[in-house]
Amino acid sequence: MSNHMPPELLGGLGGKPGIDFFWKEVAGKRRLIGNPNGPMRVLHQLFGKHLLDGVMSTDDSGYGVRALPSATACVRGSNPALNARKHISGKFFYITDLRNAYPSIDLERLALFVVYLARYDEYQFEVSLKYFSKDERREMIRDDPLYPEMLEFLTLNFAGLYGKGLAVGGPLSPYLMNLYCEVYLDSRLRRWCEGNGLVYTRYVDDLTFSSKRIISGEKRKEVRRFIHEAGFEVNHRKSKVLALSQGAVFVTRVGLEQQQPEHLARVVFPQKKRRRLHGAIKSYLVGQTDWPEIVSGLIAEFLYYFKTVKKKTATDRKTFALCQAFEAEWAKYRKGRPSRRKK
């Protein structure tokens, strides 16, 4: 355990915090996942409260880090459908992805901001939160004696393997990711987008830009500049330039489709995906397949859509009824029983 842990976090952990790492296949890609022990989970919880107290102590300039207005994942009340709805007025889209987002978090920059929060009363008049992402504004904080201690604390307890970035699987990693991005990426992108007629949201590492006008190559280049300056790399393989007039646009797996005559988008659940969901549920209910976790994942996507769509069709209600039937059947086998059902 670090000797530089904030004093209020030293007691009550119930042991030495630690985290083990293992490789896991996620969405067709091998990812290094952290598995924290009980004391480490307690530490993350306590430090999260400690950090939030600092965030809430900021004045009006701290609105962004309080509300995280561009983040649409890992914040209360968020889901993919609500993220998509923020782009309901868009006709043209630029969708991109941060490559290896969690491991790319610069812990030195994160430590500087945490120190800023801890010394807020001292620094607020010298370093504006609005301009915190500028390198020259952070030099005085780098000389603060608390900075090396905080950097060591974050590296020992929140970093990924070999002290690189944030640990995927760390209980506080999603919040730290959102906080880091708001300070170094989201706030800058948001101001730039507001001045250029774009709507911007970030769902973890998925960035979506929409506009009523074509998003030019020059604007996309400027977006990539902001991303690089925040310490991230663009995943060009997952980047897309789309137009609603050419068909449904998927924002974090939620479809937006142009409707006539308003020429505005509406949230849709694509027929291809719906047929797959219906087939998976029916196969499970008759015992032909036994993959409840996969079915549950498909249902979660539908429910995001179902909860937010205003006009529910008869097909929507039929799909919802099937989802309820699956949940009722799966509930019989979830608690302490083997997955395979006997007929």
Side-chain angles (χ1 to χ4, degrees):
M1 187 183 300
S2 171
N3 293 327
H4 304 300
M5 189 182 299
E8 57 267 43
L9 302 182
L10 284 172
L13 296 182
K16 183 177 180 179
I19 183 168
D20 296 321
F21 292 92
F22 62 96
W23 289 99
K24 183 178 180 180
E25 192 83 15
V26 180
K29 181 179 179 181
R30 292 184 76 232
R31 296 183 183 274
L32 191 63
I33 308 294
N35 181 29
N37 63 12
M40 182 65 85
R41 293 182 181 276
V42 174
L43 187 150
H44 278 230
Q45 181 181 12
L46 292 174
F47 187 65
K49 183 180 183 304
H50 175 80
L51 197 58
L52 187 58
D53 288 343
V55 166
M56 298 307 293
S57 71
T58 59
D59 58 20
D60 291 343
S61 67
Y63 166 74
V65 292
R66 290 180 187 176
L68 300 171
S70 297
T72 54
C74 308
V75 293
R76 184 173 297 176
S78 67
N79 62 54
L82 292 178
N83 178 48
R85 288 190 68 84
K86 290 181 180 291
H87 298 275
I88 206 80
S89 297
K91 295 182 180 180
F92 301 94
F93 297 80
Y94 176 43
I95 299 174
T96 190
D97 178 89
L98 304 179
R99 185 173 180 271
N100 296 325
Y102 277 69
S104 297
I105 296 292
D106 187 334
L107 291 183
E108 292 188 7
R109 292 191 194 183
L110 181 60
L112 288 170
F113 182 67
V114 174
V115 172
Y116 171 79
L117 291 176
R119 309 279 205 205
Y120 180 72
D121 290 340
E122 176 183 346
Y123 285 126
Q124 61 174 310
F125 303 110
E126 300 289 342
V127 183
S128 168
L129 185 58
K130 182 178 179 181
Y131 297 106
F132 193 83
S133 59
K134 302 287 186 181
D135 288 339
E136 61 270 18
R137 305 277 181 168
R138 302 193 300 264
E139 287 308 309
M140 66 177 69
I141 299 178
R142 199 178 296 275
D143 294 332
D144 191 307
L146 179 60
Y147 167 69
E149 298 183 4
M150 185 58 66
L151 178 58
E152 182 181 356
F153 173 69
L154 292 175
T155 302
L156 288 176
N157 299 291
F158 298 88
L161 195 63
Y162 308 122
K164 183 179 180 181
L166 290 174
V168 177
L172 198 59
S173 290
Y175 179 65
L176 290 174
M177 168 78 174
N178 278 339
L179 195 63
Y180 178 93
C181 284
E182 171 58 30
V183 174
Y184 295 105
L185 178 64
D186 293 348
S187 60
R188 300 183 67 201
L189 267 177
R190 192 167 58 246
R191 287 194 295 270
W192 179 83
C193 286
E194 288 171 355
N196 286 272
L198 276 71
V199 174
Y200 163 63
T201 60
R202 180 183 52 79
Y203 192 88
V204 189
D205 56 358
D206 294 321
L207 279 59
T208 303
F209 303 84
S210 63
S211 175
K212 294 181 179 180
R213 298 178 180 273
I214 292 175
I215 303 174
S216 67
E218 196 64 32
K219 287 181 178 178
R220 299 196 302 271
K221 182 178 179 181
E222 189 71 2
V223 165
R224 293 192 291 270
R225 181 180 69 82
F226 283 116
I227 292 172
H228 291 151
E229 288 180 355
F232 295 108
E233 292 183 21
V234 174
N235 190 338
H236 295 286
R237 186 174 60 85
K238 292 186 177 181
S239 298
K240 302 174 183 177
V241 180
L242 303 167
L244 206 62
S245 61
Q246 297 176 340
V249 171
F250 289 87
V251 177
T252 51
R253 295 183 295 177
V254 175
L256 292 177
E257 182 178 81
Q258 184 169 285
Q259 58 181 341
Q260 302 292 341
E262 297 89 343
H263 299 289
L264 293 174
R266 62 175 179 173
V267 176
V268 296
F269 195 75
Q271 289 302 316
K272 182 177 180 181
K273 186 174 289 188
R274 192 187 297 268
R275 286 195 295 270
R276 182 187 176 198
L277 173 59
H278 284 201
I281 292 176
K282 290 176 180 178
S283 294
Y284 181 80
L285 292 178
V286 299
Q288 291 180 351
T289 61
D290 192 31
W291 305 317
E293 292 80 8
I294 294 177
V295 180
S296 183
L298 294 171
I299 287 177
E301 291 187 38
F302 171 76
L303 292 180
Y304 289 142
Y305 155 80
F306 189 77
K307 290 177 182 178
T308 59
V309 69
K310 292 182 179 180
K311 294 183 179 179
K312 296 175 175 60
T313 65
T315 305
D316 289 337
R317 290 190 286 273
K318 176 183 177 181
T319 303
F320 183 67
L322 277 173
C323 293
Q324 289 181 311
F326 164 79
E327 290 293 344
E329 181 68 14
W330 190 24
K332 300 176 184 178
Y333 299 91
R334 267 187 297 204
K335 294 183 179 180
R337 299 188 185 185
S339 178
R340 176 63 61 183
R341 294 165 291 167
K342 295 181 180 180
K343 303 303 284 184

